[in-house]
Amino acid sequence: MAVSVIPTTLSWRPVDDNNINDLFTHRSSISTPRLFRRLSTVVCSSSLKSPKSTEETRELLKQYGLDPDEFLSDPTPSKTRRNKDQQKSGRGGKQVAPPQEQAKPRETHKLLQVLGGKARRKKLLSPKSMDVRPMMEVVKGATFGILQAAGGCPTSLRPGRWLDLYSGTGSVGIEAISRGCSEVHFVEMDPWVVSNVLRPNLEWTGFLDNSVIHTVRVETYLERARESAGKDGPFDYISVTPPYTQVDYKILMNQISESSVIGDDSFVVVEYPFRTDMLETCGCLVKLADRRFGRTHLAIYGPKWAQKKRRS
C-alpha cells in the first residue's frame, strides 16, 4: 500500500459582522490576500500500483519539497543486518552455532633432560601444551635416588625391567634405561605423542632397541596383562604418573595391586596430587617413602627387605 501526501493551504481573515458564522475559510487558491498562511498536510492512501501513478506521485512530492524515497520506499533491514539476524537465529528460528575455530597444530619444545647415567644431560622433547604433564626433574631425581639406595647401589639401578604407565614423553623410562635397566615398556594412549615425542626421544637417546611401546589405555594394558599372567613375569619397576584429574587413584591402585605386573620384589613409584589418600600397602608391597614437592606427592612401594635395608 503506497502513501500519497497532498499539501494544501489554509488562509485566514479577520472576523467581522459579515462573516461571524464563517470563522474559517478553506481555499485552494494561493493568490487571495490573507493575513496569515500555513502549510497543512493531508495524508491519503491509495494502491498506486501502476508505474504512471507512482511517477505522478513522485513529481507531486518533489513540487512541495518532500523526498519521494522517504515516503514511497518500504523500510527494509539492510543486507548486513539480515545476515547477522540469520546467523543468530537461523532458518525457522533455530539457533545456529558459530563456526568452530580450526585447531592449532600441536608443537614441541626441549625443556626436559636426562639427569643421570649413559644419556646424562641429553635434551628431551615435550609438548608445549598442557595435555601431557611430565614429571618434574626434582621429583624424578628424588625418585631414582630412593630406588637406587633401596636396591643397595646408590650410583645406579639394579638391572631389571621397567613398566612406564602414562609414559607421555618417556622421560621416566628413558631415565631408567640410562641408569641401568635392561628394558622398558612404555604405555601411552595418544598416537600423536607416541609418534612426535616419545619415539623421537628414544631414537635421540639411542634406547629404541631397549624399548617396547604400547599405544593403548593403561586400563586395557593391565587387563591384558592379567589375561597373559606368567608369560613374561612381573616387572622389577613400575612408574605411575597419570593426569591427576582423569583418574580415580583408589580404583587405579587396586587394579595395579591385583595385576600380574607386580611381584614380591617389585618397586612401584606413584605420583599423586595434594589431598589424595594413598594406602600404606600396594598388594604385597609396603610403602618405603612418601615425599611432598609443592602440590605434588611421591609415594614409593617396595618389598619388605628393601624397607629394612632402607632403615638400617
Side-chain angles (χ1 to χ4, degrees):
M1 178 71 71
V3 178
S4 168
V5 181
I6 303 176
T8 62
T9 59
L10 293 178
S11 61
W12 301 79
R13 62 181 178 178
V15 179
D16 53 23
D17 296 336
N18 296 327
N19 62 1
I20 190 65
N21 295 323
D22 186 14
L23 295 178
F24 301 95
T25 301
H26 178 271
R27 297 182 180 181
S28 58
S29 173
I30 61 175
S31 60
T32 305
R34 52 197 171 276
L35 298 178
F36 178 75
R37 184 179 67 183
R38 67 177 180 177
L39 185 65
S40 175
T41 303
V42 180
V43 180
C44 303
S45 63
S46 62
S47 59
L48 299 176
K49 292 182 179 179
S50 64
K52 183 177 179 181
S53 61
T54 303
E55 188 63 30
E56 291 176 352
T57 305
R58 295 179 65 89
E59 290 297 330
L60 182 61
L61 292 172
K62 287 181 180 179
Q63 291 179 8
Y64 287 95
L66 300 174
D67 186 1
D69 295 331
E70 181 179 353
F71 287 91
L72 298 180
S73 61
D74 295 332
T76 55
S78 64
K79 184 177 180 182
T80 304
R81 179 65 179 274
R82 287 199 303 268
N83 291 341
K84 289 183 179 179
D85 293 341
Q86 290 176 0
Q87 291 178 0
K88 290 181 179 179
S89 61
R91 295 182 179 178
K94 294 182 179 180
Q95 190 72 18
V96 178
Q100 295 182 353
E101 296 183 0
Q102 186 176 1
K104 295 181 180 179
R106 299 170 73 178
E107 299 178 350
T108 60
H109 52 186
K110 289 187 175 182
L111 296 181
L112 304 176
Q113 66 175 344
V114 183
L115 301 180
K118 296 180 291 185
R120 183 184 179 187
R121 294 183 180 176
K122 281 201 171 186
K123 295 290 185 179
L124 301 177
L125 291 170
S126 60
K128 283 187 177 181
S129 62
M130 295 300 294
D131 339 4
V132 177
R133 182 191 51 79
M135 177 183 281
M136 294 187 299
E137 291 190 350
V138 62
V139 180
K140 185 168 64 173
T143 298
F144 283 90
I146 295 172
L147 292 176
Q148 290 172 181
C153 183
T155 59
S156 63
L157 288 172
R158 291 188 305 118
R161 299 165 61 241
W162 189 293
L163 175 62
D164 189 3
L165 300 177
Y166 305 97
S167 57
T169 64
S171 65
V172 177
I174 290 174
E175 191 77 33
I177 301 176
S178 181
R179 291 176 183 251
C181 274
S182 56
E183 182 183 74
V184 174
H185 287 245
F186 297 89
V187 182
E188 171 56 48
M189 63 174 289
D190 191 333
W192 185 89
V193 173
V194 170
S195 59
N196 293 276
V197 180
L198 176 57
R199 185 177 292 275
N201 283 339
L202 292 172
E203 292 174 349
W204 166 244
T205 53
F207 297 150
L208 189 59
D209 293 338
N210 303 84
S211 307
V212 180
I213 300 175
H214 306 270
T215 312
V216 296
R217 295 176 60 87
V218 168
E219 296 82 0
T220 304
Y221 178 84
L222 293 176
E223 188 65 29
R224 292 177 182 176
R226 178 186 299 177
E227 296 173 357
S228 60
K231 182 179 178 181
D232 297 318
F235 286 89
D236 299 283
Y237 304 94
I238 302 170
S239 56
V240 187
T241 57
Y244 292 159
T245 60
Q246 298 181 22
V247 298
D248 185 319
Y249 275 83
K250 184 177 181 179
I251 297 175
L252 175 62
M253 295 307 298
N254 183 64
Q255 191 174 11
I256 292 174
S257 63
E258 295 179 355
S259 173
S260 60
V261 297
I262 67 171
D264 295 338
D265 295 325
S266 300
F267 290 87
V268 179
V269 178
V270 185
E271 190 180 41
Y272 65 96
F274 182 59
R275 293 181 180 176
T276 300
D277 295 327
M278 297 295 293
L279 298 176
E280 292 298 315
T281 61
C282 179
C284 59
L285 307 178
V286 296
K287 186 184 288 185
L288 302 179
D290 199 339
R291 302 284 182 84
R292 177 180 177 180
F293 303 87
R295 297 181 62 85
T296 299
H297 286 241
L298 178 69
I300 298 180
Y301 299 88
K304 294 181 179 180
W305 58 260
Q307 185 181 38
K308 294 178 182 179
K309 182 175 296 187
R310 177 71 176 163
R311 288 179 177 177
S312 60

